[in-house]
Amino acid sequence: MAQATPGATILELKDVSKRFGEFYANRGVNFDLRAGEVHCLCGENGAGKSTMMNMLYGLLEPTEGTISMDGAPVHIGGPRHAIDLGIGMVHQHFMLIPVFTVAENIVLADEPTQGMTLDIKAAEARVRELSDRYGLSVDPSARVQDITVGQQQRAEILKALYRRARILILDEPTAVLTPQEIEELLRVIGLLRDEGMSIIMITHKLKEVLSIADRISVLRRGEMVGTVPREGQTEASIANMMVGRDVLLKVDKTESIPERPVLTVQDLWVKDDRDLDAVRGASFEVHAGEIVGVAGIDGNGQEELVDAIAGLRPIQRGRITLDGEDITGLSPHEVSEAGLGHIPQDRHRRGMVLDFDLRENVMLHDWDKRDMVRFGIIDRAASAERAETLCDMYDVRSGGGIGSRAGSLSGGNQQKLVIAREIQRDPKLLIAAQPTRGVDIGAIEFIHRRLVEERDAGTAVLLVSLEMSEVLSLSDRIVVIFEGEIVAEFEGGRVDEQRLGMAMIGSGDGHSVPGQAGIGGALAGPEVEETPA
Amino acid sequence: MKEFVDVWILGLGLATLTYGTPLILAALGGLFSERSGIVNIALEGMMTAGAFFAIYVSVQTNSWFFGLIGAMLAGMVLAAVHAVATVTFHADQIVSGTAIILIAAGLVNFLNLTLFGSEGSPPDISSPWKVGPADFRVSVLVPLAFLAVAGTWFVIFRTPFGLRLRSVGEHPRAADTVGIDVARMRYTAVLVSGALAGLAGAFISFNVDSYTENMVAGNGFIALAALIFGKWKPVPVMMACLLFGFAQGLASRLGGVGWLPDAFQSPELLNALPYVITLIALAGFVGKAVPPAAVGKPYIKH
């Protein structure tokens, strides 16, 4: 790694703007990066962080302003040029080719050769050397599609190191990681900084910002709100800079009053797309008036569990009842009629039709309802009225009112629309799968409040989330799913991130709730510890 | 016994190579294109152009070698049209491919009538060397096709160029972020595809030393089927092509077999055999063929 004088400014953006038509994605941005620092860049979705980084990586050209490196203005013509300048970027959605090996991915476009042929041995040796040096353990000959997300990220970082990056841009690097992997990543970032690497880390997880940043810059609506040293900052102060007002970070809720069981899942077995057992004998209940959070690392059967309950995936074995009615094997429509509201994990694929307008999206469920459809013809006035009401109540902001294409809305507004539609149906059970994925802090606050309100109105809420903080702050009860089994159960508010994280990787000490242990069949970990009452 | 060997071993072997070789060349062309992410259903059209220009240039220059060059260039011109439409202008690859097939068929028939007239090409033309033992003479293009299989495997799986080509077909944005010029890679691959398809067409017309209308007769599509059957890998693709070539050879031979019931002697039914085998192979025996992930999708930079 090239050594610059620690603390010297190696990269500077001066009055940089990027305009798309009339819209400024960045306006008059000033930013500087010092050698050997970790500089966190925060901001809500659409604040212009990605635009700024894409300009640094040569994917976009600034409309105005200058970018300088080591004091001299540069024009970054493309990714190749950025790489040559020593800029490496780990994209939020990894730029790895699943069918290639780790080494092939890392050396791609800078391959070691022997005569005409690709020298894969040399490539693997070089990768091994780098991975040993920085403690980024990953098998160079493994295919990317077969390794964990954490390992894939290490491969991405190695890709930048292999290209001799001295500036490393990390775009939302912790969004997909487990707590243990996050800790590991932060350790690696610290190590790289000590070696003289200058790091820009984009994130909206305030806790991480406070633990790793040397300085913090905040973007809001394309403009730089300010750059501050970490000392003296709190989560609240940064959130305030990001949103421009005080944000309620903690969910405000009372003790739950669970009533009758609404959802009961008994010994449920479900297969995934590859025909392997994804859910293996899961049993649990969700009562009216409580939020049950399903915690787990991505890919441990959450998706299949939700699909099975919603009737979207066949069940191998087991029984599901909704408010006393057996819904095992019913079609999605029948399950929904039986009282399920479903906020799906992937709103683009399952939550809405992006090419439909808001009015059409709001009435997707109602193709057979008398109040929306008469003699096979959609009642435009009635559906428009409902769409107007919901957009109003849920503060769904769009460019052109209810006639806007759903695809043109921001992620947060799309999600609010889906949530509005599902809640207005007055479901007995509401499944919220990753309800705040890709959603701004402001909208997260709103969505969380609505979910708690639904609970208070007597709905049973099943929350599935990969965000531990979300599970912890919303749930009245938490079940942990690991390799398709419910391996632990906690009372909400009685468990911390550390213990929950351990349970999520299958080595937990989660205590059982009486009568529950035997049904799930598998409490991982030899010791079952009772939480003091 | 001698007759059995002549007809059913040597004869059928020759027929398999004769029908299989153009399939191999065209399917390799498809392999380059699809590995880079561009579907090339226009192979059929490029073969038609190759078939005609091989004969035309051979007649004009009195050199089969220039005929082959002409066939490759003709295929590449159509390939360039496909590349401009799909890579530069992000057109739908199936629509562009279909258009090129139709254009090629019309244009080539027009040129054939204009340049050769109704009596067709002259009877004596320079035709590629034959190689092999006396009772097993094949066009020099046959060993060339097998060399092309080995060459394709080497280029695609053993060279930096091949790695980059595949990266573009799997995840063009990832390739872009490490500085690979996606459009250039795809242009290169599609042009190679056109050259190979042109060569495939040349084999078909040189086989009878003349061009006749619609002589490619769906072989471009069978080559595509072989590409899928062979899961986009050179050697399995070659095997698939030989299987389909064998089916065509068999169909052409069964017509004269006395012990077959009359119904099976009908040429229409026998000629359907290769297609039936193609269908069964694709439906039943392929298993799960995973195409390059980005195939068929235009790549639009930011």
Side-chain angles (χ1 to χ4, degrees), chain B:
Chain B
M1 188 61 203
K2 171 89 170 66
E3 194 200 313
F4 178 83
V5 169
D6 280 351
V7 172
W8 290 104
I9 308 285
L10 294 177
L12 200 50
L14 265 177
T16 300
L17 289 180
T18 307
Y19 289 112
T21 301
L23 292 179
I24 291 174
L25 290 167
L28 289 179
L31 192 148
F32 271 97
S33 180
E34 299 216 346
R35 279 284 184 179
S36 84
I38 304 289
V39 176
N40 190 359
I41 65 161
L43 287 175
E44 177 85 6
M46 296 170 190
M47 288 169 80
T48 302
F52 173 74
F53 278 97
I55 300 297
Y56 180 68
V57 176
S58 176
V59 167
Q60 295 301 314
T61 62
N62 198 27
S63 154
W64 60 267
F65 183 76
F66 284 117
L68 293 184
I69 301 285
M72 286 163 70
L73 285 176
M76 287 169 81
V77 167
L78 290 179
V81 175
H82 190 49
V84 169
T86 58
V87 181
T88 306
F89 294 105
H90 315 299
D92 186 282
Q93 299 171 9
I94 303 293
V95 173
S96 166
T98 308
I100 287 171
I101 294 171
L102 297 174
I103 290 169
L107 199 64
V108 166
N109 284 343
F110 167 74
L111 288 174
N112 186 33
L113 280 176
T114 316
L115 298 174
F116 285 136
S118 52
E119 68 274 18
S121 52
D124 291 318
I125 70 160
S126 162
S127 158
W129 295 324
K130 302 272 190 211
V131 293
D135 49 359
F136 205 81
R137 310 273 299 162
V138 294
S139 162
V140 69
L141 287 176
V142 172
L144 206 71
F146 287 95
L147 279 177
V149 173
T152 300
W153 174 84
F154 181 80
V155 168
I156 297 278
F157 291 106
R158 283 293 176 270
T159 65
F161 173 82
L163 189 72
R164 294 174 194 187
L165 185 86
R166 284 183 286 136
S167 76
V168 163
E170 292 289 344
H171 193 336
R173 198 167 298 280
D176 194 4
T177 58
V178 291
I180 294 171
D181 188 333
V182 175
R184 212 169 110 184
M185 289 306 297
R186 288 186 164 177
Y187 263 91
T188 310
V190 174
L191 288 177
V192 170
S193 186
L196 284 165
L199 214 50
F203 182 92
I204 292 176
S205 56
F206 272 134
N207 191 46
V208 291
D209 284 340
S210 76
Y211 176 81
T212 50
E213 251 183 53
N214 305 325
M215 73 187 312
V216 175
N219 273 291
F221 295 106
I222 296 193
L224 276 181
L227 179 62
I228 299 168
F229 194 23
K231 302 186 179 182
W232 294 269
K233 292 179 183 139
V235 174
V237 165
M238 176 192 77
M239 301 304 282
C241 289
L242 290 176
L243 171 70
F244 294 154
F246 174 77
Q248 294 191 43
L250 192 65
S252 72
R253 239 128 253 272
L254 284 179
V257 176
W259 45 262
L260 274 180
D262 280 353
F264 288 98
Q265 302 266 356
S266 118
E268 287 80 9
L269 212 57
L270 285 174
N271 285 337
L273 185 65
Y275 306 100
V276 171
I277 290 185
T278 306
L279 267 180
I280 293 172
L282 284 181
F285 297 101
V286 181
K288 204 171 173 200
V290 183
V295 80
K297 295 176 200 148
Y299 176 61
I300 299 163
K301 288 185 91 134
H302 281 274

Side-chain angles (χ1 to χ4, degrees), chain A residues 138-457:
Chain A
V138 56
D139 174 7
S141 59
R143 273 183 209 289
V144 164
Q145 64 194 5
D146 299 329
I147 63 179
T148 67
V149 173
Q151 288 167 334
Q152 291 178 8
Q153 186 173 60
R154 279 174 235 154
E156 276 281 24
I157 295 173
L158 286 169
K159 214 162 114 183
L161 295 176
Y162 175 81
R163 288 171 171 72
R164 301 179 193 287
R166 57 198 180 100
I167 296 172
L168 186 62
I169 302 169
L170 300 164
D171 190 358
E172 304 259 357
T174 60
V176 290
L177 300 184
T178 65
Q180 283 73 14
E181 285 173 330
I182 290 173
E183 223 167 82
E184 176 63 20
L185 175 71
L186 294 179
R187 185 191 66 76
V188 169
I189 291 176
L191 186 71
L192 289 170
R193 167 174 55 190
D194 295 343
E195 291 254 349
M197 181 79 85
S198 317
I199 294 161
I200 302 173
M201 177 164 149
I202 300 174
T203 179
H204 57 234
K205 292 194 183 167
L206 305 175
K207 210 174 290 171
E208 287 152 24
V209 173
L210 292 176
S211 80
I212 191 77
D214 295 303
R215 289 192 299 157
I216 301 159
S217 287
V218 177
L219 274 175
R220 189 165 73 226
R221 291 200 201 101
E223 294 182 42
M224 191 59 84
V225 180
T227 300
V228 294
R230 182 199 36 198
E231 287 78 34
Q233 299 304 319
T234 60
E235 289 189 36
S237 70
I238 304 168
N240 182 301
M241 280 174 87
M242 284 165 66
V243 185
R245 62 176 169 84
D246 282 329
V247 184
L248 204 56
L249 291 170
K250 271 206 107 55
V251 182
D252 203 11
K253 67 179 174 73
T254 54
E255 194 78 5
S256 75
I257 310 157
E259 299 161 31
R260 67 186 196 285
V262 169
L263 174 73
T264 58
V265 172
Q266 285 171 352
D267 191 28
L268 183 69
W269 290 74
V270 187
K271 283 193 189 308
D272 65 12
D273 294 336
R274 290 168 304 165
D275 217 29
L276 304 170
D277 287 323
V279 178
R280 304 188 298 158
S283 300
F284 60 92
E285 285 184 343
V286 185
H287 298 82
E290 74 168 347
I291 298 178
V292 172
V294 177
I297 297 162
D298 198 9
N300 272 283
Q302 297 96 319
E303 247 185 285
E304 290 81 4
L305 173 69
V306 170
D307 282 0
I309 297 171
L312 291 160
R313 192 179 280 273
I315 290 162
Q316 304 302 316
R317 214 164 79 203
R319 205 170 107 93
I320 305 170
T321 61
L322 210 174
D323 206 16
E325 185 188 341
D326 191 341
I327 59 162
T328 320
L330 294 190
S331 75
H333 183 63
E334 289 162 340
V335 176
S336 137
E337 292 300 292
L340 171 72
H342 182 191
I343 302 162
Q345 173 179 332
D346 187 342
R347 61 177 165 266
H348 291 168
R349 210 157 55 94
R350 291 215 168 132
M352 55 188 357
V353 182
L354 293 177
D355 283 324
F356 280 13
D357 64 23
L358 306 192
R359 180 183 64 84
E360 290 164 321
N361 269 296
V362 159
M363 59 159 302
L364 281 181
H365 283 290
D366 304 321
W367 50 272
D368 64 341
K369 301 290 185 306
R370 288 301 292 278
D371 55 345
M372 284 290 147
V373 181
R374 287 283 164 86
F375 309 113
I377 295 163
I378 294 167
D379 185 339
R380 288 184 70 93
S383 57
E385 194 191 321
R386 176 179 295 171
E388 293 281 9
T389 315
L390 288 180
C391 288
D392 236 36
M393 278 172 62
Y394 285 80
D395 190 29
V396 177
R397 288 178 218 168
S398 57
I402 59 163
S404 313
R405 216 174 61 86
S408 70
L409 269 57
S410 75
N413 283 304
Q414 290 177 346
Q415 190 69 338
K416 283 194 271 186
L417 185 74
V418 173
I419 291 172
R421 183 187 70 211
E422 296 304 314
I423 290 182
Q424 63 85 29
R425 301 176 58 236
D426 199 16
K428 294 174 190 160
L429 170 70
L430 181 66
I431 297 181
Q434 301 251 62
T436 58
R437 178 155 82 166
V439 168
D440 297 344
I441 290 193
I444 289 175
E445 185 190 11
F446 180 87
I447 291 168
H448 283 174
R449 229 174 33 228
R450 291 322 283 232
L451 291 177
V452 173
E453 277 172 28
E454 266 308 287
R455 178 202 78 166
D456 292 342

